[in-house]
Amino acid sequence: MTRFIDVPALAELLQRKGVAPLMADLANCLREDFLRWQDFDKCARVASHSPVGVIELMPVADDQRYAFKYVNGHPINTSRGLYTVMAFGVLAEVSSGYPLLLSELTLSTALRTAATSAMAAKALARPDSRRMALIGNGAQSEFQALAFHSQLGIREIVAYDIDPAATTKLQRNLAGFADLKILRADSIAEAVRGADIVTTVTADKARATILTAEMLEPGMHINAVGGDCPGKTELAAELLRQASIFVEYEPQTRIEGDIQQLPPEHPVTELWQVLSGRAPGRRSATEVTVFDSVGFALEDYSTLRLLDKLARELGVGREVQLVPPADDPKDLFRHTRGGRAQLRRAA
């Protein structure tokens, strides 16, 4: 039997665990898996692009478990009353190939993206960071805000979106957090002025320039989340040239990240190297760091293994028969209804 976590089951899990505590647990799982980076069979995701969006498959495996995620990115969807990003995923047993877990990953992707951002910022941002600019206040924004608030001590967020209603939504959803102040800005430049951390999480599939080099301030950490496919960027190339750049999986980020604007020889550092102590992260209080985050399959592996563990411990979700019973594994045909009778009539 396969454990199935749909949206109501995940909502129950979040209510019982809490959003911020679950993201903290997820950040710990992510760190554990990044620290054993070389145990995984990795590849860039397989993408099918269209003029209006992208559909991707994201596989990864170690010697125990195989995971994949199906995910889309269609900025046009909000005009149709649909989410820009939707996903589901599977965690399977390598030794048998049998699926252990089938789970929604739309909400969970927002959770893991924010947890990854916070994990990276702990290694790259100044430890005294308290003010964050949040550019793009759509579906991912509350998760990013809560992760940085609960895990890095961010106390003030200056938010900007080209849609003022999105910022109003962000303020409304986070109004219950008395020790987190959400301020509105009238422009990107106003939002980033004086920020310790800048998170960009915009959705348009375009070569946009959300941040320019003129907006940089000494010691700033930029958490660039929105640029995640060919032809989609958020940061000016000149900004990137002035910063130390960190990525998840270089072969994928060269194609999809903001660094697609730079020559292939421009140096970047994979995050696992910093977490394991093999490469330095921030070198000084005045250095500008960029986490060019595109999302990588290992993060979904970590998410699925945590969801599987918590769901079984807490009895959340249900068992579904995704694979036929194998009491006679050489006779699959018996599971067809009326198949033999139909064959006899045809003869």
Side-chain angles (χ1 to χ4, degrees):
M1 301 291 281
T2 304
R3 176 70 58 168
F4 176 50
I5 300 177
D6 58 7
V7 174
L10 182 66
E12 179 186 349
L13 185 59
L14 288 169
Q15 289 164 10
R16 294 174 66 175
K17 283 286 296 182
V19 175
L22 193 143
M23 284 196 291
D25 288 349
L26 185 48
N28 290 332
C29 283
L30 287 161
R31 183 179 177 86
E32 290 171 2
D33 290 335
F34 269 72
L35 287 174
R36 57 188 194 94
W37 182 263
Q38 293 168 318
D39 292 344
F40 289 91
D41 181 17
K42 301 174 287 293
C43 68
R45 54 189 161 206
V46 180
S48 175
H49 294 278
S50 73
V52 295
V54 63
I55 296 174
E56 299 167 327
L57 288 177
M58 301 173 62
V60 72
D62 62 7
D63 61 357
Q64 298 292 317
R65 301 182 186 95
Y66 173 95
F68 77 84
K69 180 170 77 173
Y70 170 103
V71 61
N72 78 307
H74 285 71
I76 196 175
N77 273 2
T78 53
S79 66
R80 304 165 171 170
L82 303 172
Y83 288 110
T84 298
V85 176
M86 180 285 309
F88 64 88
V90 169
L91 184 69
E93 184 181 60
V94 167
S95 62
S96 67
Y98 268 52
L100 302 171
L101 176 70
L102 170 63
S103 179
E104 82 79 45
L105 284 181
T106 306
L107 270 168
S108 301
T109 292
L111 293 164
R112 73 88 156 129
T113 301
T116 303
S117 294
M119 177 185 66
K122 282 184 178 181
L124 302 174
R126 297 195 320 271
D128 61 348
S129 297
R130 295 295 176 265
R131 180 183 175 98
M132 181 168 85
L134 184 54
I135 312 302
N137 303 157
Q140 298 271 341
S141 59
E142 290 88 353
F143 300 92
Q144 291 283 331
L146 284 181
F148 278 84
H149 172 57
S150 61
Q151 297 183 47
L152 279 91
I154 290 296
R155 295 288 176 262
E156 187 172 270
I157 290 177
V158 186
Y160 174 78
D161 196 289
I162 57 174
D163 178 9
T167 306
T168 300
K169 177 267 307 180
L170 173 69
Q171 290 180 307
R172 181 179 66 248
N173 284 341
L174 299 182
F177 295 86
D179 54 346
L180 177 61
K181 185 185 298 184
I182 310 291
L183 306 174
R184 303 178 73 105
D186 294 325
S187 68
I188 295 172
E190 179 187 343
V192 304
R193 193 175 301 123
D196 303 307
I197 297 171
V198 178
T199 290
T200 57
V201 58
T202 60
D204 283 345
K205 189 179 180 182
R207 281 195 178 272
T209 303
I210 305 302
L211 297 183
T212 64
E214 293 74 22
M215 297 177 185
L216 290 177
E217 296 183 12
M220 188 177 275
H221 172 64
I222 298 170
N223 175 44
V225 179
D228 59 0
C229 69
K232 182 181 179 186
T233 63
E234 295 182 313
L235 309 183
E238 181 56 31
L239 182 155
L240 293 168
R241 284 190 282 268
Q242 295 183 28
S244 298
I245 304 170
F246 301 85
V247 302
E248 292 140 315
Y249 181 56
E250 183 177 350
Q252 180 173 298
T253 312
R254 291 284 183 191
I255 298 169
E256 300 179 350
D258 275 280
I259 62 170
Q260 66 188 269
Q261 305 172 79
L262 300 180
E265 66 272 13
H266 190 94
V268 301
T269 303
E270 289 185 332
L271 183 60
W272 74 271
Q273 295 174 305
V274 177
L275 297 176
S276 64
R278 300 189 184 200
R282 171 174 292 276
R283 296 175 175 87
S284 73
T286 59
E287 182 181 22
V288 174
T289 54
V290 171
F291 179 44
D292 189 2
S293 175
V294 299
F296 182 55
L298 181 55
E299 296 152 21
D300 303 306
Y301 173 100
S302 302
T303 303
L304 288 164
R305 79 173 178 89
L306 177 63
L307 291 179
D308 186 55
K309 175 178 178 291
L310 292 176
R312 294 179 192 277
E313 288 176 356
L314 299 176
V316 173
R318 65 183 188 274
E319 299 290 330
V320 295
Q321 197 164 28
L322 202 60
V323 179
D327 44 314
D328 186 353
K330 293 187 177 181
D331 187 3
L332 180 63
F333 191 75
R334 67 191 178 85
H335 295 291
T336 64
R337 182 172 298 173
R340 287 174 176 167
Q342 291 172 4
L343 285 174
R344 282 197 296 269
R345 285 196 296 272

